[in-house]
Amino acid sequence: MSVDYPRPPAETAAVPAVSVVVIVYNDASRLTTAVRSVLDQTLRGVEVVIVDDRSTDGSYDVAQRLAAAHPDGVRAFRLPENSGGCGAPRNHGIQQARGDYVLFLDSDDVLERNACRNMLEAAESTGADLVSGLCVRVHVDSRTGKEVKWYPWLYDRTRTLESISELPDLLVFDTLSTNKCYRRQFLLDEGLQFPVGIHYEDLLFSAQAYVAARRITLIPNRVYDWRIVEKTAAKSISNRRDEIANFTHRMEIHRRVDRLLADHGLLELKFAKDVKWLKHDLVLHLRELPFRDATYRQEFAQIARAYLESIDRAAFDETEPIHAICAYLLHEADWDNLLPAVDTLSNRDKISSPLVEHDGRVYWCAEHIEHDAFARHVLDVTELGYHTKPVEKMFLRNALTGYAETDGTVRLTGRITNPLGVIPPDARLSAQLEFYARRPGVRFQTFRFPVATVRHEGEAIVWEASANLAKGLRPLGIVDAVWDVRLHLAVAGEGEGAGTVRTTTRLTASEPELAQGHLPVRPRLTRLVADRIEPEVSSRGHLSFRLVPDKKANELVQRGVQGPTGRLAKTGYRKAKALRKELASGDTKLRVYHDVFSRLPVKKGLVVFESHLGRQYSDSPKAIYEEMRRQGLEFEAVWAYADSPQGFPEGATLVRRWSLPYLKALAQAEYWVDNQSYPLKVTKRPETTYIQTWHGSALKRMGFDEPEWKLKSRAEQAEQQRTLDRFDRFLIRSEHDVRTLARAFRLQERTLLRVGYPRNDALVQAKEREEATGHRERGALAAEFGIPEDKQVLLYAPTFRQRGGKRRFELPFDVERFADTFGHRYVLLVRSHYLNHVVLPPSVRGRIIDVTGYHDMTPLLVLADGLITDYSSVMFDYSLLDRPMFFFTYDYDEYVHEGRGTYFDLLERAPGPVVRTEDELHAVLDSLEEQTVKYAAPRERFGADFGEFDQGNAAQSIVDQFFSQWRRA
């Protein structure tokens, strides 16, 4: 319905092109800045319409003075009574505006200097009813001047929409009214007004404008600075999430938007909004629940449950699992399971539930799944892989259950989640409490206290400890005002040789007001700094302590801190912090490598080994290293690791990749032995010999044969060539490698070493033993995996898959169906690429085994009776064993024709059946023996073509050629 707003009488000869409505309530100190940002616009013909919502602090006086000082550009109005929101003053501003276009500005924000010009030009050139530009959240009290763009992907380019349906994300995410320019007649014709007497009015007004607009233009220009002040006593309306009325208003606005979309038949927009509500709006309020009392929680649940009924259940599948879990448990008012789930919502890696395994799947909780199919769907967390993690890699919920203070001592009790009984009942448990300063730059010292009692109790681990903070905690003061607490839990196995693993937990304050009181402390900078420490709960729900100074003494201290001496001290600290950051940067490390380490003498006999960028102790570098050890050579070995040194050889010096010791070793090494690449910007010294073993023959196009390499600039190609020219020797296992890898890397003939791959020596030798004895030896690996003697072993080893930046590899076949079909005959080993990881459900336990974490691939190949792969170079290695291979190329056309291409047609030369579907794969696997005979000749040709130099002595040949001088006399 159209609203008949009369155009105000012209007070000047020219009608302004744009009216900017500036609303204000009790913000006298910032109003002038907001208005000045309008007056300083590069577009002339802009007027300011100030609407005061009946302020009590002099804001209207400021508005009147601005109007008097700028009679042609500023007009000021005042509402007869305070409306309590933004809707009424903005509506009044629309009524008083004289311009052809209208913008809205809050008194605590500013317009970008070209905002009006850019938006007006876009509106007039496209005929849009609504133009929207980029909003930037400016954190004005941040020392670093932090700025965050508001949903920038919406504004990556200029575009015009004929309907909001063309870009649902605009309605779903950009719900602001203030970064937009509206044609005034459009507002009048459509009767668009802000709702009055209810918060979150922007959501409804923006939705109405989006739906009604005949044309919408988005521009990539910055137009609006939303100025955020974190340290303020008065919270903004959207941040008052501790008020149940706030949530009530939000939900009422959402219901009105839903009715609007339904009335216009925009059900796809409603679905997109449902997803966003589950992922964002609901989450904001769920995170507040641990801090609220039972009354608030019940009211909140009642309101939310009513709205959850309107949510399309399909929207649950578009959210992250923990979002869906929380929404479901809230709907069921299951507080016992919901509050732990909210803990995980706030701390993404935390495992907050004991979990339950049911029918081979893992669920968040045991409740609801027996009789509710939707509950089983939502609560199923099998794909998250919790059941595959050892305790030392788990971040467990540690709920604080008791807090008491006596004579400077705090007594704490807690309950640690034990998911799926990962901590066994017979484990020996011990623990320590640790107090440490939150501010990283001042963690000069931590304070630890023993945990008196830690034991199993049902599904959890319970503990209790006392810490005398009055005597045991000695903070500096001022700079280390906040102290966090964590508990280190040690789990020791029973029996001789059983190791000890450790996990660290934070103390979750599970109930509001559980931790209260204060304890005396003696800071090192005297008690003028602080005289007590009080418990508080962090924004993530964890227990911490804050130093609280004596009020009068604090005034003296603060004056000193804010004075010249204090400013000098803070400046010195910041400079030291910046220096430390610079010293740890990659550029600094490279300078140290080239300017310092590279001037040190090369150490004779020093060899640096690395496999797959430090991720593994494996492959040909491992084979060469072990051959050198077997021959008893005298040399100094350094192995690089990326994440953890676990699994790397004890007889070598282990260094973290990119650390200073790593770079120093590279600079002084006589030899580098690697299968992929040392850091690209590290220059090899002439005295160092680089033996590049590489990690497989090529089916996929490599190096300068790749389309994306050809598109690089000459400078980029030259830089890439420089890194390849570091290779002094490059191992070759067939002439196919010469035609592909060597050519693609533009390697000189003198670089090529035709000796085969040391990693494949074990494969050649295994085949020779099998032919000599007529028997295949499984070895210790089969026993380690628990593989029965009567079952054959298949290995599934696909190539690397990149899916939207996610590392988790989703298997292209139903593993449970596979296990049910073939579990009586085969054990399937799944080995995803080292850059991927896979999650298997418990239902296939013992029948399908994830061996991705096993460093070295070669023993797995020796164990396997058959190989299933796609395009992985493992096919070339496995051919040396002359065992059956199956090629599951479910995405062949996409991979070969839309990817980087291949050197030959796999369909023509594959030494085994090539299948495209799961049913076809099952069919060929059902006749393993038949396939073995059928493809005997193609396998023989394949092995000869791609492994002609693999004779079983590559490692020995390398040692003889390069390291024989180190043999003991």
Side-chain angles (χ1 to χ4, degrees):
M1 185 177 87
S2 175
V3 176
D4 188 18
Y5 283 149
R7 181 178 288 276
E11 298 177 10
T12 61
V15 174
V18 176
S19 296
V20 180
V21 176
V22 182
I23 63 170
V24 61
Y25 175 70
N26 284 356
D27 198 17
S29 63
R30 292 182 291 189
L31 176 60
T32 300
T33 301
V35 172
R36 175 54 58 190
S37 75
V38 183
L39 296 175
D40 289 343
Q41 287 291 299
T42 56
L43 176 71
R44 301 308 172 195
V46 179
E47 73 161 352
V48 182
V49 179
I50 304 175
V51 183
D52 177 68
D53 197 14
R54 205 70 186 182
S55 297
T56 61
D57 73 337
S59 293
Y60 187 56
D61 294 335
V62 175
Q64 288 180 309
R65 287 197 295 271
L66 288 167
H70 306 277
D72 296 333
V74 179
R75 293 182 293 135
F77 302 90
R78 190 181 196 187
L79 297 187
E81 59 183 24
N82 177 251
S83 68
C86 301
R90 285 178 181 159
N91 290 339
H92 191 76
I94 297 173
Q95 181 179 349
Q96 296 299 330
R98 298 179 301 160
D100 292 327
Y101 294 89
V102 177
L103 279 74
F104 300 107
L105 174 64
D106 292 345
S107 61
D108 53 349
D109 299 328
V110 296
L111 288 182
E112 194 276 335
R113 192 164 182 263
N114 299 294
C116 291
R117 177 182 297 278
N118 289 330
M119 299 180 91
L120 178 64
E121 289 178 353
E124 292 188 335
S125 63
T126 64
D129 291 327
L130 186 159
V131 176
S132 189
L134 180 65
C135 170
V136 177
R137 290 167 60 97
V138 180
H139 295 256
V140 296
D141 53 356
S142 167
R143 291 199 313 269
T144 59
K146 177 182 174 183
E147 294 187 352
V148 180
K149 295 178 180 178
W150 184 255
Y151 300 113
W153 78 85
L154 296 172
Y155 299 99
D156 57 353
R157 69 184 191 279
T158 299
R159 51 182 159 178
T160 298
L161 312 174
E162 300 298 328
S163 166
I164 188 61
S165 296
E166 296 178 25
L167 187 61
D169 278 357
L170 184 60
L171 177 142
V172 170
F173 291 99
D174 188 358
T175 57
L176 301 177
S177 67
T178 48
N179 61 331
K180 296 172 177 62
C181 174
Y182 311 85
R183 193 163 56 84
R184 183 173 182 271
Q185 195 58 46
F186 160 68
L187 296 179
L188 303 183
D189 292 345
E190 297 296 334
L192 294 182
Q193 292 182 288
F194 289 88
V196 177
I198 187 170
H199 301 321
Y200 301 102
E201 56 279 299
D202 267 22
L203 274 70
L204 181 58
F205 181 84
S206 296
Q208 291 171 330
Y210 284 141
V211 171
R214 289 177 291 276
R215 185 169 293 165
I216 302 168
T217 296
L218 309 182
I219 61 175
N221 309 81
R222 179 174 183 165
V223 299
Y224 195 91
D225 281 7
W226 179 358
R227 294 163 69 87
I228 307 295
V229 181
E230 302 284 357
K231 301 170 184 176
T232 177
K235 293 182 180 180
S236 65
I237 290 172
S238 60
N239 284 326
R240 297 175 194 164
R241 290 188 286 273
D242 55 336
E243 302 172 5
I244 195 65
N246 184 288
F247 186 62
T248 303
H249 285 213
R250 184 189 284 269
M251 299 320 304
E252 175 56 28
I253 289 292
H254 273 283
R255 279 188 283 268
R256 295 186 191 184
V257 173
D258 290 345
R259 286 197 295 270
L260 169 73
L261 298 178
D263 290 344
H264 286 79
L266 299 172
L267 298 183
E268 73 282 2
L269 293 182
K270 167 66 165 62
F271 180 80
K273 195 182 77 68
D274 285 348
V275 174
K276 193 249 186 176
W277 186 83
L278 288 171
K279 294 170 64 174
H280 176 73
D281 300 76
L282 180 60
V283 168
L284 289 176
H285 291 269
L286 282 172
R287 286 174 175 160
E288 295 293 314
L289 290 183
F291 306 98
R292 307 293 161 237
D293 60 23
T295 300
Y296 178 97
R297 293 174 183 174
Q298 293 300 329
E299 291 184 43
F300 172 82
Q302 185 176 358
I303 298 167
R305 290 172 69 192
Y307 189 74
L308 278 166
E309 294 290 348
S310 71
I311 295 289
D312 187 336
R313 285 189 166 184
F316 282 68
D317 291 335
E318 302 300 319
T319 69
E320 294 186 30
I322 192 61
H323 294 154
I325 289 169
C326 287
Y328 176 83
L329 295 174
L330 176 64
H331 180 268
E332 300 300 311
D334 183 353
W335 296 102
D336 289 341
N337 288 304
L338 173 59
L339 290 177
V342 170
D343 196 3
T344 293
L345 192 67
S346 298
N347 302 276
R348 307 305 296 273
D349 296 326
K350 185 181 290 188
I351 305 176
S352 300
S353 168
L355 309 178
V356 62
E357 183 180 327
H358 179 73
D359 289 341
R361 306 293 293 179
V362 177
Y363 296 92
W364 184 260
C365 56
E367 292 76 13
H368 315 293
I369 62 176
E370 286 287 350
H371 308 293
D372 187 345
F374 183 63
R376 287 194 296 275
H377 177 69
V378 171
L379 298 175
D380 189 334
V381 293
T382 308
E383 299 302 319
L384 297 182
Y386 291 144
H387 60 287
T388 66
K389 292 185 177 182
V391 66
E392 63 269 24
K393 292 189 176 181
M394 289 182 168
F395 179 25
L396 301 175
R397 173 177 165 89
N398 186 351
L400 187 68
T401 56
Y403 181 99
E405 297 177 359
T406 307
D407 298 330
T409 296
V410 60
R411 181 176 177 274
L412 306 171
T413 61
R415 185 177 179 85
I416 301 173
T417 299
N418 186 16
L420 299 173
V422 67
I423 304 174
D426 58 355
R428 291 177 285 111
L429 307 177
S430 60
Q432 279 186 324
L433 278 179
E434 180 182 82
F435 292 74
Y436 60 100
R438 177 176 298 174
R439 196 169 183 175
V442 294
R443 290 181 188 168
F444 306 119
Q445 188 175 359
T446 60
F447 301 92
R448 294 192 174 189
F449 302 87
V451 173
T453 302
V454 54
R455 68 181 188 279
H456 274 82
E457 188 176 282
E459 291 183 324
I461 307 298
V462 298
W463 59 272
E464 56 184 72
S466 296
N468 190 331
L469 300 187
K471 294 181 179 180
L473 184 65
R474 294 298 308 278
L476 287 174
I478 304 179
V479 294
D480 55 354
V482 181
W483 288 75
D484 291 313
V485 192
R486 55 190 172 198
L487 183 141
H488 300 286
L489 177 67
V491 181
E494 290 289 338
E496 184 178 351
T500 298
V501 295
R502 292 171 175 80
T503 186
T504 299
T505 68
R506 296 291 302 277
L507 276 56
T508 297
S510 55
E511 291 296 331
E513 301 182 357
L514 174 63
Q516 291 185 319
H518 62 84
L519 297 148
V521 290
R522 294 181 299 145
R524 299 180 189 274
L525 298 180
T526 81
R527 293 191 181 183
L528 282 176
V529 174
D531 58 0
R532 66 186 186 278
I533 192 166
E534 294 181 350
E536 68 175 20
V537 180
S538 72
S539 61
R540 293 182 179 271
H542 296 139
L543 178 69
S544 60
F545 290 85
R546 179 178 293 276
L547 290 172
V548 182
D550 174 84
K551 188 173 183 180
K552 291 182 179 180
N554 187 47
E555 293 178 1
L556 295 173
V557 172
Q558 289 303 318
R559 279 202 293 269
V561 170
Q562 302 302 326
T565 303
R567 286 195 296 271
L568 181 63
K570 286 188 284 186
T571 300
Y573 166 74
R574 288 169 187 162
K575 287 182 177 178
K577 184 177 180 182
L579 178 61
R580 185 170 62 249
K581 183 177 180 181
E582 182 182 355
L583 290 175
S585 70
D587 289 341
T588 299
K589 288 179 178 179
L590 283 173
R591 285 198 301 271
V592 171
Y593 173 84
H594 290 111
D595 298 342
V596 180
F597 293 157
S598 291
R599 300 190 181 193
L600 298 174
V602 168
K603 295 176 66 175
K604 295 297 183 180
L606 175 59
V607 187
V608 178
F609 296 89
E610 185 172 296
S611 177
H612 294 305
L613 307 177
R615 290 182 174 88
Q616 297 176 356
Y617 172 58
S618 66
D619 213 77
S620 293
K622 173 188 176 184
I624 294 172
Y625 168 76
E626 293 188 346
E627 177 65 17
M628 294 170 72
R629 289 298 189 201
R630 187 188 68 79
Q631 293 192 23
L633 303 189
E634 294 181 332
F635 69 106
E636 181 181 353
V638 172
W639 266 94
Y641 66 90
D643 300 316
S644 167
Q646 185 175 357
F648 285 81
E650 295 181 359
T653 300
L654 307 182
V655 294
R656 184 182 292 276
R657 202 171 192 268
W658 260 116
S659 66
L660 289 176
Y662 169 77
L663 294 174
K664 185 172 184 287
L666 285 179
Q668 292 193 275
E670 187 176 358
Y671 286 93
W672 292 358
V673 180
D674 162 64
N675 69 350
Q676 194 155 344
S677 177
Y678 288 107
L680 301 182
K681 294 184 179 181
V682 170
T683 302
K684 183 184 72 68
R685 298 172 69 174
E687 304 96 318
T688 302
T689 299
Y690 188 169
I691 301 175
Q692 173 56 256
T693 69
W694 203 240
H695 52 273
S697 297
L699 168 64
K700 304 175 286 289
R701 293 190 177 275
M702 303 290 293
F704 289 101
D705 289 343
E706 293 184 53
E708 64 180 48
W709 279 41
K710 294 178 180 179
L711 294 175
K712 291 183 178 180
S713 67
R714 287 186 178 181
E716 290 173 323
Q717 290 192 19
E719 179 66 17
Q720 188 66 48
Q721 188 63 56
R722 186 192 68 80
T723 65
L724 296 171
D725 288 344
R726 295 180 301 175
F727 303 160
D728 293 299
R729 292 291 187 270
F730 187 89
L731 269 57
I732 295 295
R733 59 189 303 255
S734 71
E735 289 303 317
H736 169 77
D737 291 351
V738 177
R739 296 188 298 270
T740 55
L741 290 171
R743 187 188 67 184
F745 294 155
R746 299 175 180 174
L747 302 178
Q748 300 292 326
E749 173 63 31
R750 58 180 170 76
T751 305
L752 308 182
L753 203 60
R754 292 170 169 83
V755 296
Y757 283 169
R759 73 180 186 191
N760 289 340
D761 291 347
L763 303 181
V764 175
Q765 293 162 12
K767 181 186 176 185
E768 291 174 348
R769 287 195 304 271
E770 187 174 338
E771 290 176 343
T773 63
H775 174 68
R776 183 175 302 170
E777 295 180 3
R778 282 191 162 183
L781 198 56
E784 180 181 334
F785 293 149
I787 299 174
E789 284 289 338
D790 62 342
K791 290 186 180 180
Q792 291 180 296
V793 179
L794 297 178
L795 173 65
Y796 178 51
T799 193
F800 174 64
R801 290 298 200 284
Q802 184 75 39
R803 291 289 186 269
K806 297 180 179 178
R807 290 186 62 186
R808 191 166 73 80
F809 174 61
E810 295 184 7
L811 292 171
F813 56 89
D814 186 334
V815 292
E816 292 177 300
R817 178 190 172 195
F818 189 100
D820 291 342
T821 303
F822 296 113
H824 65 291
R825 294 174 56 185
Y826 305 134
V827 171
L828 179 67
L829 307 180
V830 175
R831 167 75 172 213
S832 65
H833 191 276
Y834 69 89
L835 292 175
N836 293 134
H837 73 274
V838 70
V839 173
L840 299 174
S843 58
V844 302
R845 188 182 291 126
R847 297 177 292 175
I848 301 180
I849 303 172
D850 177 18
V851 294
T852 303
Y854 198 84
H855 275 228
D856 198 0
M857 181 75 150
T858 304
L860 300 174
L861 296 177
V862 173
L863 174 62
D865 297 295
L867 173 71
I868 306 170
T869 187
D870 44 17
Y871 323 100
S872 172
S873 64
V874 71
M875 69 176 76
F876 302 108
D877 302 312
Y878 195 74
S879 68
L880 298 172
L881 291 165
D882 191 27
R883 299 177 191 172
M885 284 187 272
F886 305 87
F887 298 85
F888 185 27
T889 59
Y890 56 93
D891 57 352
Y892 183 85
D893 294 331
E894 174 189 350
Y895 193 90
V896 172
H897 301 302
E898 297 179 19
R900 64 195 195 199
T902 60
Y903 285 115
F904 62 85
D905 189 344
L906 181 63
L907 300 180
E908 294 180 359
R909 301 185 67 175
V914 180
V915 297
R916 301 287 188 95
T917 69
E918 186 173 347
D919 288 340
E920 291 175 346
L921 177 63
H922 279 222
V924 294
L925 290 178
D926 198 38
S927 56
L928 181 64
E929 292 74 14
E930 178 184 334
Q931 302 299 330
T932 302
V933 175
K934 181 178 180 180
Y935 285 91
R939 281 200 311 276
E940 184 178 359
R941 287 196 301 271
F942 197 82
D945 289 344
F946 298 106
E948 58 189 296
F949 302 132
D950 281 317
Q951 299 299 316
N953 61 350
Q956 182 178 345
S957 177
I958 295 294
V959 173
D960 289 344
Q961 291 186 55
F962 296 98
F963 308 117
S964 59
Q965 71 274 17
W966 298 340
R967 290 194 178 99
R968 293 186 180 92

